[in-house]
Amino acid sequence: MNYVRIYEAFIADRRAREADLLASGVYVERHHIKPRSMGGGDKAENIIALTPEDHIRAHGLLGAAFPVMWTAVTYLAGRHEHLKLPATKRERALYALAKKKQAHHMRQHPPM
C-alpha cells in the first residue's frame, strides 16, 4: 500500500475543505504537511488546519509511510489524552497501534 500517496490525497482533500472548516469556528489544530523533522518549515503552504481527529489520522498515515513518525503519533495522541479531548474508538486504536509501532521502531533503532 502506498501510504505516501494516500497521505497526499488526504491532505489535498482536507485543503479543499479548509476554508469551510475555518469558517465553521470549530476547534482546529495546525499540522505541518511536511513534518519539521523531515525538513518542512513553518511557511503557510506547509501548514494546514485540521480537526483533532484528522490531525491524528494525518500522523497515522505519516507513521505508516515513515516508521520514525510513530513517535509523533504517540505524542499527539498522548497530548490529546492530557487535554481530555474526547477520543473515539478509532483514535484509541490508532494510539495503541502507534505505541506498538514506536516500541518496535525503538528496538530496531535504539537512541545513541
Side-chain angles (χ1 to χ4, degrees):
M1 197 169 279
N2 187 336
Y3 288 105
V4 172
R5 189 177 65 214
I6 294 168
Y7 173 74
E8 289 170 349
F10 174 75
I11 292 298
D13 177 71
R14 293 318 188 263
R15 180 67 88 191
R17 301 176 187 195
E18 186 177 23
D20 290 338
L21 177 65
L22 291 171
S24 74
V26 300
Y27 172 74
V28 297
E29 297 180 349
R30 292 172 23 114
H31 172 69
H32 288 84
I33 297 167
K34 182 176 182 180
R36 288 183 287 183
S37 64
M38 297 176 72
D42 292 330
K43 292 185 178 180
E45 63 268 10
N46 192 46
I47 304 290
I48 187 168
L50 298 174
T51 65
E53 296 83 6
D54 281 348
H55 197 189
I56 289 174
R57 181 167 184 218
H59 279 275
L61 290 169
L62 283 170
F66 308 102
V68 71
M69 291 302 298
W70 283 112
T71 301
V73 179
T74 58
Y75 167 77
L76 184 64
R79 182 172 61 120
H80 284 200
E81 185 178 283
H82 171 72
L83 294 173
K84 305 293 187 228
L85 296 175
T88 65
K89 184 176 181 180
R90 186 170 129 203
E91 289 171 328
R92 290 189 302 272
L94 180 58
Y95 181 60
L97 176 63
K99 293 293 279 184
K100 291 174 189 172
K101 294 279 189 176
Q102 178 190 23
H104 175 74
H105 181 76
M106 293 305 287
R107 282 193 301 275
Q108 300 290 350
H109 307 281
M112 301 240 160

